Amino acid sequence: MDLTFRTKKLEKLANDYRRCQRELGAIRTKLLNLRLNDLRDAETLEDVRYLPGHYHELIGDRKGQWACDLDHPYRLIFEPHENPIPANQVGNYLWVEIKGVEIVEIIDYHNE
């Protein structure tokens, strides 16, 4: 799958393991790299749907974004490259048609 990053800072963290460890800690860095590698290795978003990390669609004001678990309570947030996001007749997103994502942020969004 094609990965892009919303900010240069996120791209640098994803590509510099030592810098990432300094800023995010060892556990979050390890999990971030696992999740990014899973996404890179996938052909479509459907390929990661049932992997460890609980990949899931977000709702409410974050509709159109996906998340996967890092260390609790942090999540890796990403959005599909496809615009509009592929959906069926009843509005469910078609994970199998999403072939690229943009990494948006690493955040604990539970207190928003």
Side-chain angles (χ1 to χ4, degrees):
M1 184 179 313
D2 182 35
L3 287 184
T4 58
F5 297 87
R6 173 127 333 146
T7 66
K8 291 286 184 196
K9 180 180 179 178
L10 281 171
E11 188 171 11
K12 286 178 183 177
L13 287 175
N15 294 314
D16 185 339
Y17 197 86
R18 286 187 183 163
R19 178 182 185 154
C20 193
Q21 276 190 310
R22 278 194 309 272
E23 292 191 31
L24 302 181
I27 294 170
R28 194 171 310 145
T29 296
K30 179 182 175 189
L31 291 169
L32 173 63
N33 278 278
L34 284 170
R35 304 300 180 249
L36 292 174
N37 286 335
D38 286 344
L39 288 166
R40 283 185 188 110
D41 292 345
E43 288 186 34
T44 71
L45 196 53
E46 183 69 27
D47 295 336
V48 299
R49 189 173 201 158
Y50 302 107
L51 292 180
H54 185 235
Y55 291 83
H56 56 285
E57 298 174 28
L58 298 178
I59 58 174
D61 62 344
R62 287 191 174 265
K63 184 163 178 60
Q65 294 183 329
W66 272 253
C68 61
D69 298 347
L70 297 175
D71 56 323
H72 184 73
Y74 288 90
R75 305 291 185 264
L76 176 65
I77 310 299
F78 53 93
E79 297 175 352
H81 287 164
E82 289 78 7
N83 188 14
I85 301 171
N88 63 18
Q89 297 84 354
V90 294
N92 296 328
Y93 293 132
L94 300 173
W95 291 46
V96 72
E97 292 186 19
I98 297 170
K99 298 179 187 213
V101 296
E102 178 179 58
I103 305 302
V104 175
E105 62 186 335
I106 297 167
I107 189 170
D108 169 12
Y109 57 71
H110 296 99
N111 294 325
E112 289 184 342

